[in-house]
């Protein structure tokens, strides 16, 4: 039944059939997260890094109403340039498919599709979470509910720092989602290595991590796992400066009534302008770092008991 709606790239299908490691990658970061041509250059380099570290990359998107698991170079280029690509989360999937539209998958929908086809590891930039002032707006990303229910391990540089990180971690704890620090005791804050909040567990390498993840799923403890992998130190931004920029940008978004799925792209673009592109460079470098860890983790998940 699903074959009608999902097209798996030959290279990815072969890897899945032969029980070889595959890492899924989202497409919202390409169509909504970065400007052209940096978005396409980033997507190609992420795929290269996944391959170089032992796994097969599967960038996921929806093109003409068909779920694509693994994109070719022309499709990556198209996603990077096309206008009107719909930011697609769980609630959007049935409509984007039935209307035969183009959709860029978020963390939530990438997790859903990954689980459908049997991909266990997903590398991204940062997860969505509880937005600042959520006690008034109730603005909480669907990514968090997906992490509570969908069996995919997500390697990220923490939650996007435009969010309320403390409330995001509280939400994950309530839903039993383990939050792991990769080589760190502190949950990373996207552009910076520290957030002021601890993690549930610290792991030193992907082998140790793979053993814990395999144990979780053997025990039928459904749901994902968040692996907080800090941005490399040399690309970290100054925390006081970036927090000041974020607070001003959030205030401006509120004044302009920008909310919902429009909020994150708006804030990231604003932050890029104010930091004169430094935040974009940091974003790209942290994604590369996550791709490397995700690739090694996918390999170790298949080779650990």
């Amino acid at each position: 039944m699903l074959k009608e709606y999902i097209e798996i790239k030959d290279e990815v299908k072969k890897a899945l059939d032969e029980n070889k490691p595959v890492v899924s990658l989202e497409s919202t970061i390409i169509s909504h997260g970065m400007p052209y041509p940096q978005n396409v250059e980033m997507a190609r380099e992420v795929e290269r890094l996944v391959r170089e570290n032992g796994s097969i990359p599967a960038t996921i998107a929806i093109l003409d109403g068909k779920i694509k698991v693994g994109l070719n170079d022309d499709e990556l280029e198209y996603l990077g340039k096309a206008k009107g690509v719909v930011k697609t989360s769980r609630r959007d999937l049935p409509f984007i498919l039935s209307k035969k539209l183009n959709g860029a998958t978020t963390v939530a929908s990438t997790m859903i599709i990954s689980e459908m086809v049997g991909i266990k590891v997903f590398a991204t930039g940062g997860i969505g979470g509880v937005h600042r002032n959520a006690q008034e707006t109730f603005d909480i990303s669907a990514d968090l509910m997906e992490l509570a229910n969908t069996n995919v391990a997500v390697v990220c540089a923490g939650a996007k720092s435009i969010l309320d990180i403390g409330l995001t971690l509280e939400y994950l704890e309530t839903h039993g989602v383990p939050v792991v620090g990769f080589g760190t005791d502190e949950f990373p804050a996207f552009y910076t290595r520290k957030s002021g909040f601890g993690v549930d567990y610290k792991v030193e390498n992907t082998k140790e991590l793979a053993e814990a993840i395999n144990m979780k799923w053997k025990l039928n403890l459904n749901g994902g796992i968040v692996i907080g992998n800090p941005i490399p130190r040399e690309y970290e931004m100054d925390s006081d400066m970036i927090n000041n920029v974020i607070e001003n940008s959030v205030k401006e978004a509120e004044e302009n009534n920008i909310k919902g799925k429009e909020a994150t792209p708006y804030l990231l673009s604003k932050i890029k302008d104010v930091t004169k592109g430094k935040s974009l460079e940091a974003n790209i470098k942290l994604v590369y770092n996550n791709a490397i860890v995700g690739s090694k983790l996918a390999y170790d998940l298949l080779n650990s008991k």
Side-chain angles (χ1 to χ4, degrees):
M1 181 67 179
L2 281 174
K3 283 180 184 171
E4 205 180 321
Y5 309 106
I6 299 183
E7 190 176 292
I8 305 177
K9 190 178 176 186
D10 288 345
E11 174 192 35
V12 176
K13 189 171 188 320
K14 186 170 186 286
L16 290 169
D17 289 346
E18 294 175 2
N19 209 28
K20 289 183 175 165
V22 178
V23 175
S24 60
L25 305 161
E26 54 143 308
S27 46
T28 290
I29 197 170
I30 304 170
S31 65
H32 294 74
M34 294 181 189
Y36 182 84
Q38 291 97 325
N39 53 1
V40 177
E41 289 163 6
M42 176 276 307
R44 288 180 181 135
E45 179 63 7
V46 164
E47 291 203 349
R48 189 192 70 77
L49 287 167
V50 169
R51 284 197 180 87
E52 190 179 82
N53 286 278
S55 298
I56 298 298
T59 302
I60 293 174
I62 300 159
L63 295 175
D64 298 323
K66 192 129 194 168
I67 293 170
K68 300 269 192 167
V69 181
L71 301 180
N72 62 36
D73 205 56
D74 288 344
E75 289 166 337
L76 282 178
E77 185 78 20
Y78 175 78
L79 259 185
K81 283 181 172 174
K83 304 293 178 198
V85 177
V86 182
K87 188 177 176 184
T88 305
S89 190
R90 172 180 275 271
R91 67 178 179 184
D92 309 294
L93 277 169
F95 294 92
I96 305 306
L97 293 179
S98 63
K99 290 175 179 290
K100 298 191 166 31
L101 300 175
N102 295 321
T105 55
T106 62
V107 168
S109 54
T110 305
M111 288 181 74
I112 292 166
I113 295 162
S114 298
E115 189 175 51
M116 278 180 188
V117 301
I119 300 173
K120 297 289 189 188
V121 177
F122 163 36
T124 185
I127 59 168
V130 180
H131 282 252
R132 298 180 187 206
N133 304 317
Q135 63 272 28
E136 292 161 19
T137 64
F138 280 77
D139 193 348
I140 299 171
S141 170
D143 295 353
L144 299 185
M145 278 307 293
E146 218 53 60
L147 280 158
N149 294 293
T150 304
N151 295 348
V152 176
V154 180
V155 181
C156 60
K160 295 184 179 81
S161 44
I162 55 177
L163 304 168
D164 187 316
I165 292 175
L167 291 184
T168 298
L169 292 172
E170 288 289 352
Y171 191 104
L172 290 168
E173 181 191 12
T174 299
H175 290 278
V177 179
V179 175
V180 178
F182 193 77
T184 179
D185 290 310
E186 195 164 324
F187 192 61
F190 201 66
Y191 298 117
T192 57
R193 295 175 61 84
K194 294 184 180 296
S195 65
F197 296 95
V199 293
D200 300 325
Y201 294 94
K202 175 184 177 182
V203 296
E204 296 297 347
N205 54 61
T206 50
K207 188 171 184 300
E208 181 188 351
L209 181 56
E211 286 168 358
I213 294 170
N214 275 331
M215 182 58 71
K216 173 176 163 47
W217 291 332
K218 275 180 194 167
L219 294 169
N220 290 322
L221 296 172
N222 283 335
I225 183 165
V226 175
I227 299 114
N229 180 38
I231 183 172
R233 207 175 294 279
E234 61 269 33
Y235 302 114
E236 180 179 25
M237 300 193 73
D238 178 78
S239 59
D240 290 339
M241 183 272 289
I242 198 71
N243 284 329
N244 195 33
V245 170
I246 289 166
E247 278 167 26
N248 290 335
S249 301
V250 168
K251 205 176 289 177
E252 203 169 300
E254 284 169 5
E255 286 165 4
N256 290 304
N257 202 30
I258 294 164
K259 49 193 173 187
K261 63 165 70 176
E262 305 304 321
T264 298
Y266 172 84
L267 290 168
L268 292 177
S269 174
K270 189 80 189 162
I271 292 162
K272 177 182 78 74
D273 292 344
V274 176
T275 61
K276 297 184 172 58
K278 286 183 180 170
S279 65
L280 176 61
E281 186 194 0
N283 194 344
I284 289 169
K285 297 298 186 183
L286 66 83
V287 173
Y288 292 167
N289 195 37
N290 294 338
I292 292 165
V293 171
S295 183
K296 291 175 178 175
L297 174 60
Y299 178 86
D300 284 336
L301 261 183
L302 287 176
N303 292 285
S304 76
K305 292 178 181 176

